[in-house]
Amino acid sequence: MHNVGSIFRTSDGVNLQELILCGYTPTPPRSQISKVALGAELNVPWRQMEDPLEAVKEFRREGVQIVALETGEAAMNLFEFEPQWPICLLVGNEVEGLSNELRETADVTVSIPMLGMKESLNVSCAYSISVYELLRKWQKIPGHY
């Protein structure tokens, strides 16, 4: 729940359009989410969808690029990735990551370079790095700030 609260807080920081919580991801109102979100769960538009594949299908119909944040050799370096706006960023379970089905559905898979012994970051940390890198790229587009 603390990761979800942190994701809400980061989402507020980048003025995210919408956060979709899928599967068994905890949803507000919950004190453990609010403790970390500090009210961001009240400001960030969000909804709960049981099946993440349904969310992906919905976005695909709208012409949204589906980007999976995942580790692995097939993943492109996040910092070299050039998004095709608008995008949907898929972030998986803390331990298991994204399902194979979701990975296969994505248009592209990106990863954060890991130079130490560990292969991944905490999910809320990885999400924060990713959305701020995407915001940086969005702000480079003329007319966006």
Side-chain angles (χ1 to χ4, degrees), residues 30-42:
R30 297 232 171 108
S31 61
Q32 291 124 319
I33 292 173
S34 298
K35 178 180 180 180
V36 179
L38 296 177
E41 76 280 16
L42 305 173

Side-chain angles (χ1 to χ4, degrees):
M1 284 197 239
H2 293 142
N3 284 329
V4 174
S6 179
I7 287 170
F8 266 103
R9 196 160 159 192
T10 299
S11 298
D12 180 72
V14 298
N15 197 26
L16 190 79
Q17 183 176 340
E18 182 180 32
L19 184 62
I20 299 178
L21 306 174
C22 296
Y24 58 81
T25 303
T27 60
R30 297 232 171 108
S31 61
Q32 291 124 319
I33 292 173
S34 298
K35 178 180 180 180
V36 179
L38 296 177
E41 76 280 16
L42 305 173
N43 300 328
V44 174
W46 69 274
R47 60 184 157 133
Q48 200 277 336
M49 292 183 76
E50 187 62 33
D51 185 359
L53 286 170
E54 287 303 315
V56 168
K57 288 176 188 174
E58 180 181 314
F59 284 120
R60 190 169 305 288
R61 282 191 298 272
E62 297 171 4
V64 174
Q65 183 183 32
I66 309 301
V67 180
L69 178 61
E70 193 55 86
T71 60
E73 290 181 24
M76 171 184 268
N77 184 320
L78 169 69
F79 303 110
E80 296 171 2
F81 168 62
E82 292 301 326
Q84 302 299 310
W85 307 103
I87 69 164
C88 168
L89 180 66
L90 303 176
V91 180
N93 173 281
E94 177 82 9
V95 176
E96 298 170 14
L98 294 167
S99 69
N100 288 335
E101 206 170 16
L102 278 173
R103 277 186 236 153
E104 292 168 4
T105 303
D107 297 312
V108 64
T109 301
V110 298
S111 66
I112 298 168
M114 299 295 294
L115 305 179
M117 297 297 291
K118 295 297 173 186
E119 295 179 3
S120 67
L121 296 170
N122 167 281
V123 67
S124 63
C125 291
Y127 174 80
S128 296
I129 290 167
S130 300
V131 295
Y132 270 96
E133 173 62 7
L134 292 168
L135 174 63
R136 185 187 70 80
K137 290 175 180 185
W138 174 257
Q139 289 176 327
K140 288 171 118 180
I141 300 170
H144 296 94
Y145 51 91

